[in-house]
Amino acid sequence: MSSALKEAVAHAFGADGALAHADDRYIERDVQLRMAMAVAAAIDERRALVAEAGTGVGKTFAYLVPTLLSGARALISTATKSLQDQLFLRDLPRLRDALQLPVGVALLKGRASYLCLHRMKQARQSAQLPDRWAVRTLAKVEQWSQGTTTGDLAEMEGLDERSSVIPLVTSSRENCLGAECPEYRQCHVMKARRDAMAADLVVVNHHLFFADMALRDSGVAELLPSVEIAVFDEAHQLAEAGVQFLGTTLSSGQVLDFARDMLGIGLQHARGLAPWQDLAAGCDRAARELRLACAGPMRDVRGTLKLRWDDRSERSEFVAALPALAQACTQAREALDTVSEIAPDFVKLAERAAQLATLARRFGGEADAGNVRWIDLSPHQCRLVESPLDIREALREQMAAAPKAWIFTSATLGDDERLSWFTESAGLDDATTLRVGSPFDYAAHARLYVPKAFPKPNEPGHAPAVAQLAASCARRLSGRSFVLTTTLRALQAVGEQLRADFESQGDDIQVLLQGQAPKRQLMQQFLAQPRSVLVGSQSFWEGIDVPGDALQCVLIDKLPFPPPNDPLVEARVKRLERLGRNPFADYFVAEAAVSLKQGAGRLIRSETDRGLLVICDPRMAGMNYGRRLRAALPPMTQLASESEALEWLATLADSHCA
């Protein structure tokens, strides 16, 4: 079988193979075939492979082709729902047709992605919609529900993913009625799971994979034992997704949602049988008191802050808030128990109340050994988290359960041959590793400029200097630039300074700032108006694909070291110190190298792209670890001065006019 699969893979990727016949734009690449053959070997031998594939390798086809040709049942997990859709709607149909294979493919997302018919009806009847925009949105959802066969909300055009209506028309593990639901036969979630169980290949996402491992609530638990191949694309996001879902969380938002549901269902089905408004108000008040206790002296919170547990857990208002929340939820559960026979919704609401009370009491005690706790604080919510430091044990447990091929791949998995940044945190020390470099000619097409005489990141003049340099670069290119920042504070400072600079000089270049519109809309504006500079933080460092001359300059404000005061970072540092290791070299520099590769990867997206990468941090040039970070980047030609950098951009600008 080994030689048969490899021969089939080699033929498919050959000049006269299925891929070339199916697409006249297909380019035969040795690096893609090399990765595909390594995947085929891992499939044959049912072992683990960790493969880093540089931009342009074509890693998606490199793992899909051998997976499809093997005839084995497979699970493919990727980082986001949009990447799931890309695989399911574009890549897999193209390959299935090219290879002429009768493979059944299914897409499986989490509950919150699917319309819940029962909750949609409840939302209409409860009259609890917050404003007239929500009323209109619900009407559109109801109209769309008449024609959808999947219930996947991603199919609905014009639905803002931040809409307040979405939680009202989708289910969660806490509020789903299961087989007791009056709409169970028509349930979109159950249909998606049935389709997945019947398919040869199922596309999921990392969050779903780990949510199921923790809660057994996504359908993956039933699916995983039956597959022979598990592929994780964008595997560099796997560890953080796992840490998020393998832990325990309690949020004020959960309690507010519960109070809203209890009030609506109580008044609808059991009006007068319990003081629903008082009970809901009690839970609501307890949730808001917990958020205030988490905020402490902080009143003006922007974005999401990660707070140390010890900074709040000893404060008297925090100590009092958790038992008060547990008591409010317990009182609600006692009332719900008295009406449990009226409708199945009340049974589920009682379970939710009991679970919330249990969580409040748990966070009032000590954390489990080996776990870390912290508080996520946002303008309207607090979230208490207890989590393991990594996914080593959880993933090892899954891999030991049944022999199968495990493939982990990404463009960035580390900066050494063993890909230690990823393999250590994932417990894959014994896995076969492969590094396949990009086929692009970076030395000819890309330049790297690190200004040496530049303010340090902790100096007040740093953000204005970044904005000034970005303005100079953008003027040479007439826009066509990204500025990637490491913090939201820098994002605002650089964005505002850049905008003021252009206005004072009368430049017709627009500044697009993350947060002023949804990410997709900002990208559409950037592509539609080339005379633009987009300033973005973390979410723009990866998953953005702008090939061609629409993007020819990427500036990074400073080296992306993890924040040292982050509670999870602190816990990982302490563990390395206990092991006698150097946290700065083994953690901080390794993390920065991977993030830097991600950010730099936005620049060159095809064989013909050309551009300039600017890293506005003199430490990259002057410190010893700068050499390691430069080596982690693609082999771009380095420039010594700003004048050389602007000359290169002028050359690129001239090519627009040619």
Side-chain angles (χ1 to χ4, degrees):
M1 174 178 175
S2 176
S3 59
L5 178 56
K6 289 181 180 177
E7 285 174 13
V9 169
H11 179 69
F13 281 104
D16 193 39
L19 299 182
H21 282 296
D23 187 352
D24 54 12
R25 297 169 299 173
Y26 171 71
I27 301 172
E28 189 176 355
R29 295 190 180 102
D30 291 342
V31 285
Q32 188 178 45
L33 178 60
R34 184 181 164 208
M35 178 177 167
M37 296 299 269
V39 172
I43 290 172
D44 278 340
E45 297 165 24
R46 297 293 190 267
R47 56 176 167 79
L49 169 70
V50 179
E52 181 182 81
T55 306
V57 167
K59 64 179 170 62
T60 304
F61 279 23
Y63 68 72
L64 282 180
V65 169
T67 298
L68 291 169
L69 288 173
S70 72
R73 194 153 191 248
L75 175 83
I76 296 179
S77 179
T78 191
T80 64
K81 290 185 283 188
S82 60
L83 288 172
Q84 272 187 277
D85 290 334
Q86 180 179 307
L87 277 172
F88 181 73
L89 299 172
R90 190 188 74 182
D91 298 332
L92 279 164
R94 280 176 60 193
L95 275 183
R96 187 169 55 181
D97 293 345
L99 299 171
Q100 298 182 334
L101 293 170
V103 178
V105 179
L107 181 68
L108 185 60
K109 299 179 181 179
R111 289 180 178 278
S113 295
Y114 298 100
L115 174 68
C116 173
L117 298 170
H118 178 59
R119 285 182 60 78
M120 180 180 70
K121 291 178 180 176
Q122 279 186 335
R124 170 59 63 198
Q125 295 166 357
S126 67
Q128 283 193 315
L129 297 171
D131 51 49
R132 59 193 177 92
W133 301 109
V135 174
R136 290 179 185 175
T137 301
L138 179 59
K140 290 178 182 176
V141 171
E142 289 173 323
Q143 185 178 5
W144 170 78
S145 72
Q146 302 300 313
T148 180
T149 56
T150 66
D152 186 345
L153 291 170
E155 297 174 3
M156 186 177 165
E157 288 188 19
L159 180 64
D160 188 336
E161 61 186 17
R162 300 170 298 180
S163 170
S164 60
V165 170
I166 291 178
L168 302 178
V169 298
T170 56
S171 70
S172 65
R173 176 175 176 266
E174 289 79 14
N175 61 35
C176 174
L177 302 181
E180 297 297 317
C181 179
E183 302 290 341
Y184 185 70
R185 287 179 176 274
Q186 290 78 40
C187 177
H188 292 300
V189 171
M190 295 310 299
K191 180 182 182 299
R193 293 182 181 179
R194 287 194 299 270
D195 290 347
M197 289 303 295
D200 303 303
L201 186 150
V202 184
V203 183
V204 302
N205 61 62
H206 302 340
H207 291 102
L208 190 69
F209 177 80
F210 282 110
D212 194 83
M213 196 183 294
L215 303 171
R216 293 288 187 266
D217 184 54
S218 71
V220 176
E222 295 82 12
L223 188 65
L224 196 58
S226 67
V227 303
E228 298 167 83
I229 305 168
V231 180
F232 295 87
D233 196 355
E234 300 298 318
H236 66 281
Q237 294 192 27
L238 195 62
E240 291 310 311
V243 165
Q244 180 180 345
F245 278 92
L246 292 173
T248 302
T249 62
L250 169 64
S251 74
S252 57
Q254 283 175 281
V255 183
L256 294 174
D257 288 347
F258 162 74
R260 181 199 62 218
D261 289 349
M262 175 176 63
L263 179 60
I265 293 168
L267 293 178
Q268 184 181 335
H269 294 291
R271 185 183 292 270
L273 298 183
W276 302 118
Q277 289 178 322
D278 292 345
L279 291 166
C283 292
D284 195 291
R285 184 168 52 252
R288 297 184 192 282
E289 289 295 331
L290 177 62
R291 196 226 162 255
L292 285 173
C294 289
M298 305 172 69
R299 288 293 176 260
D300 184 21
V301 178
R302 297 181 181 181
T304 300
L305 303 177
K306 192 175 277 189
L307 307 177
R308 293 187 185 93
W309 183 260
D310 291 345
D311 288 350
R312 295 290 184 270
S313 62
E314 301 301 321
R315 297 174 68 94
S316 58
E317 58 266 37
F318 185 85
V319 172
L322 286 168
L325 178 60
Q327 183 179 2
C329 292
T330 299
Q331 288 174 343
R333 181 191 59 76
E334 290 170 352
L336 289 162
D337 283 341
T338 65
V339 293
S340 60
E341 294 181 4
I342 294 176
D345 301 83
F346 289 118
V347 177
K348 202 66 185 180
L349 282 167
E351 290 175 4
R352 288 169 69 183
Q355 176 67 10
L356 290 169
T358 299
L359 286 171
R361 285 190 286 268
R362 172 171 177 166
F363 278 104
E366 295 296 315
D368 289 346
N371 284 359
V372 60
R373 280 182 178 175
W374 71 87
I375 299 167
D376 288 332
L377 183 68
S378 62
H380 304 294
Q381 186 176 188
C382 67
R383 189 166 165 265
L384 315 186
V385 185
E386 180 179 324
S387 168
L389 298 188
D390 55 40
I391 60 172
R392 288 177 66 89
E393 295 307 317
L395 205 52
R396 279 177 171 171
E397 185 181 323
Q398 287 293 320
M399 294 177 71
K404 57 172 64 71
W406 295 82
I407 315 297
F408 303 88
T409 185
S410 171
T412 49
L413 290 173
D415 66 334
D416 62 354
E417 288 302 315
R418 281 297 304 161
L419 302 172
S420 306
W421 175 84
F422 176 74
T423 54
E424 281 193 12
S425 65
L428 293 165
D429 312 280
D430 299 328
T432 301
T433 56
L434 173 72
R435 299 184 82 189
V436 184
S438 170
F440 299 160
D441 188 352
Y442 284 96
H445 292 171
R447 301 291 185 267
L448 169 65
Y449 172 50
V450 182
K452 296 177 183 175
F454 204 81
K456 294 177 181 176
N458 60 351
E459 294 177 351
H462 183 259
V466 172
Q468 186 176 0
L469 182 53
S472 299
C473 293
R475 287 190 183 101
R476 288 298 171 102
L477 281 173
S478 300
R480 305 173 191 275
S481 303
F482 270 13
V483 180
L484 300 177
T485 68
T486 52
T487 65
L488 291 174
R489 182 181 301 168
L491 171 92
Q492 294 295 332
V494 172
E496 290 169 8
Q497 184 83 27
L498 194 55
R499 195 170 276 156
D501 195 323
F502 287 146
E503 288 175 359
S504 67
Q505 298 297 316
D507 293 306
D508 182 25
I509 299 174
Q510 71 171 339
V511 177
L512 301 170
L513 206 60
Q514 177 185 330
Q516 71 183 32
K519 182 177 177 181
R520 184 181 297 179
Q521 188 179 328
L522 283 177
M523 286 307 304
Q524 288 170 346
Q525 289 177 276
F526 181 82
L527 294 170
Q529 173 52 272
R531 295 182 66 82
S532 301
V533 178
L534 192 151
V535 186
S537 192
Q538 188 173 9
S539 63
F540 283 87
W541 282 65
E542 57 181 283
I544 301 292
D545 190 13
V546 188
D549 61 9
L551 174 61
Q552 293 193 301
C553 183
V554 172
L555 296 97
I556 292 175
D557 73 328
K558 66 175 182 177
L559 296 177
F561 290 117
N565 57 351
D566 181 303
L568 194 53
V569 172
E570 288 181 338
R572 288 168 174 167
V573 165
K574 287 177 182 175
R575 181 172 64 179
L576 287 171
E577 288 174 340
R578 285 196 301 271
L579 295 172
R581 294 173 59 178
N582 181 339
F584 185 73
D586 293 351
Y587 182 64
F588 286 96
V589 178
E591 289 280 337
V594 169
S595 295
L596 210 52
K597 284 170 74 174
Q598 282 289 343
R602 300 316 97 216
L603 185 63
I604 304 295
R605 304 299 298 174
S606 74
E607 285 88 347
T608 56
D609 284 6
R610 296 192 296 169
L612 170 71
L613 173 66
V614 183
I615 299 174
C616 306
D617 192 331
R619 295 175 297 178
M620 182 83 165
M623 302 300 287
N624 289 334
Y625 55 79
R627 187 181 299 110
R628 176 178 168 187
L629 294 175
R630 291 194 300 275
L633 293 172
M636 303 174 180
T637 299
Q638 295 187 37
L639 303 178
S641 67
E642 183 176 335
S643 61
E644 287 183 10
L646 296 177
E647 263 181 57
W648 170 246
L649 293 180
T651 304
L652 300 185
D654 288 343
S655 68
H656 303 158
C657 307

